[in-house]
Amino acid sequence: MGFIKAFTGALSGSFANQWLEYMAPPASMRDHVLLARATPVKVNGSENNDGEENASVISDGSKFMVPEGTCLITVENGGITAVIAEPGGYTYTTQNVPEAKSMFAGDGFFASTFGQSWNQFKFGGQPGNQQQAYYVNLKDVAGLRYGTQNVIRYKDSNYRGLMLSVTSNGTYTIKVVDPILLFKNLVPVDIVSGQGRGIFELGGEGDTGGVEDSLFSGFVGSLAAALSAYTKGGKSIDDIQGGTVEFAKNVNEAVEANFQWGTKYGLEVVNVQPLGLDWDEKSAQMVEQFNATMLSGMAQAQTMGMVGEEMAKDGGRIGAAYSQATIARGFEAAGNNQGGNGGTTGMFGMGMAINQMGGAGSLTTPIGGGEAAAPAPAAPAAPAEQAAAPAEPETPAAA
């Protein structure tokens, strides 16, 4: 009992004449469809929807086409009876023949968890004749929209770990990497039971039972951690426009850590395309102040002769390293004192940081190593020699 592989690839040649009717994905399975109920197709390519309630029921001798980028799952009473992920044509048989299989894993297409999922969720009994057939979309599901109503706060390593706030909108792409987990843990019950809708779609007009809202919340809720991780490598958020795949890895790791998309739902984030990623007004001011302070610190260091010609050729990085700790203290004071006083105290703290850099030349260890030689205090002038006391008058000699 199980499926026998009839041919590999598309339906053609002599099989096209033999297969007068077979099961295949519906024509509506496109774009954002993750799963769809199998539909009988006649040899001329037309769909046969007569008696739609029983249209996808399997019987002995049922034939199935598994196109590239899809996975066939058969189900009875909510339990998975077979999984086919290798493209080609298959015939279902109720006979106990050696070549009949219940699983065609796709030659390593899936992760190692795929086999574990099969062992965990496969049908425990003997499949009957009331099995339902579904197709899972294994292609990228792209163009899923997102947008943030509130700012996203993240720690930017490019600015000494300042907490900055951004707003963002754009699209993201997900992919099914384990169809068994998707079917068991994400697809709404009315679809799994075979009594309701025949399509599970994201971003469509139909109600997805709150699943889409849950995925959207998980994605947006992971952006802050992803942005912090992305900037740790020295990249600016401006680079995300040209490095969306790398940023998508950060998002996927954050989504998995916080919401277990992969281990629970069999989903991965494979791409993110921000259409807008902007600091709010306060964050933009903090970045501008940070950059101005850095430039001022390097200029002061150069003026004091602490950055030589080689340092200047290096783009001022050594001067930046010299001023880094002082700038951080100034910005810490600026961040902690903004508020009711309009930021006056914070700006004063930054001013002190700059002034410290400008006036600390004789108190700071020079770049290049060695202790700063403090100028020796001038020795007090030696007191002038006291004039010799007048000689006492000689006592006249006695006559």
Side-chain angles (χ1 to χ4, degrees):
M1 181 176 291
F3 286 88
I4 300 174
K5 191 168 187 177
F7 59 88
T8 301
L11 179 61
S12 60
S14 60
F15 289 102
N17 298 324
Q18 297 175 20
W19 286 32
L20 301 180
E21 187 171 316
Y22 55 91
M23 307 289 277
S28 57
M29 188 171 179
R30 57 184 183 274
D31 299 335
H32 297 166
V33 174
L34 291 180
L35 177 141
R37 193 178 300 157
T39 300
V41 177
K42 294 183 179 180
V43 70
N44 60 5
S46 63
E47 293 184 2
N48 179 12
N49 295 318
D50 297 338
E52 186 154 345
E53 289 186 0
N54 298 318
S56 59
V57 173
I58 299 174
S59 60
D60 186 37
S62 293
K63 294 178 173 57
F64 290 86
M65 272 295 301
V66 181
E68 289 278 1
T70 65
C71 172
L72 174 67
I73 292 181
T74 59
V75 181
E76 182 174 355
N77 297 325
I80 298 176
T81 58
V83 178
I84 301 176
E86 294 180 6
Y90 298 84
T91 301
Y92 176 74
T93 177
T94 58
Q95 306 301 315
N96 291 321
V97 292
E99 61 267 32
K101 296 182 182 180
S102 57
M103 181 179 176
F104 293 83
D107 296 330
F109 177 83
F110 298 107
S112 59
T113 56
F114 178 68
Q116 299 173 11
S117 301
W118 166 252
N119 291 327
Q120 181 180 359
F121 294 114
K122 66 182 178 181
F123 189 78
Q126 195 75 2
N129 291 326
Q130 293 300 312
Q131 299 177 73
Q132 298 277 340
Y134 300 89
Y135 285 92
V136 177
N137 182 10
L138 301 180
K139 297 181 180 179
D140 289 356
V141 179
L144 298 174
R145 298 183 181 276
Y146 77 92
T148 57
Q149 294 181 345
N150 301 315
V151 296
I152 303 169
R153 289 180 56 77
Y154 75 102
K155 184 179 292 186
D156 199 315
S157 298
N158 293 303
Y159 302 102
R160 293 288 300 173
L162 284 176
M163 291 298 295
L164 302 178
S165 300
V166 297
T167 57
S168 181
N169 65 87
T171 61
Y172 63 103
T173 301
I174 63 175
K175 186 181 183 68
V176 178
V177 294
D178 193 325
I180 296 177
L181 292 178
L182 176 85
F183 187 87
K184 296 296 295 186
N185 298 328
L186 193 65
V187 178
V189 175
D190 65 320
I191 298 178
V192 174
S193 65
Q195 303 301 314
R197 295 166 292 158
I199 288 182
F200 175 44
E201 182 178 13
L202 299 178
E205 297 180 358
D207 178 20
T208 58
V211 172
E212 186 174 1
D213 290 340
S214 177
L215 292 177
F216 171 83
S217 298
F219 177 84
V220 174
S222 301
L223 287 177
L227 286 168
S228 297
Y230 186 79
T231 60
K232 277 186 178 179
K235 290 183 171 60
S236 167
I237 62 172
D238 294 333
D239 299 328
I240 291 177
Q241 295 288 351
T244 53
V245 174
E246 182 176 350
F247 180 60
K249 293 179 180 178
N250 297 126
V251 175
N252 187 61
E253 291 173 358
V255 166
E256 179 61 24
N258 296 320
F259 300 96
Q260 292 77 51
W261 275 21
T263 55
K264 188 175 182 180
Y265 303 131
L267 293 175
E268 284 186 0
V269 178
V270 295
N271 203 352
V272 182
Q273 188 63 58
L275 302 178
L277 190 62
D278 305 299
W279 286 311
D280 65 357
E281 183 177 355
K282 180 180 177 181
S283 296
Q285 290 175 354
M286 293 176 69
V287 170
E288 183 177 353
Q289 292 164 358
F290 183 96
N291 290 333
T293 306
M294 289 289 288
L295 290 174
S296 176
M298 287 185 287
Q300 292 284 352
Q302 290 172 340
T303 300
M304 292 184 293
M306 301 182 69
V307 180
E309 182 178 351
E310 293 301 319
M311 299 177 187
K313 290 180 181 178
D314 196 36
R317 292 180 185 142
I318 301 179
Y322 158 71
S323 59
Q324 199 172 48
T326 307
I327 292 172
R329 289 193 295 270
F331 265 97
E332 183 178 2
N336 291 336
N337 290 285
Q338 290 182 7
N341 60 2
T344 304
T345 305
M347 291 302 296
F348 176 72
M350 289 174 54
M352 289 183 63
I354 299 174
N355 291 334
Q356 288 173 7
M357 289 187 297
S362 62
L363 302 177
T364 308
T365 301
I367 296 177
E371 294 289 336
E385 292 186 7
Q386 296 181 354
E392 294 184 5
E394 296 180 2
T395 305

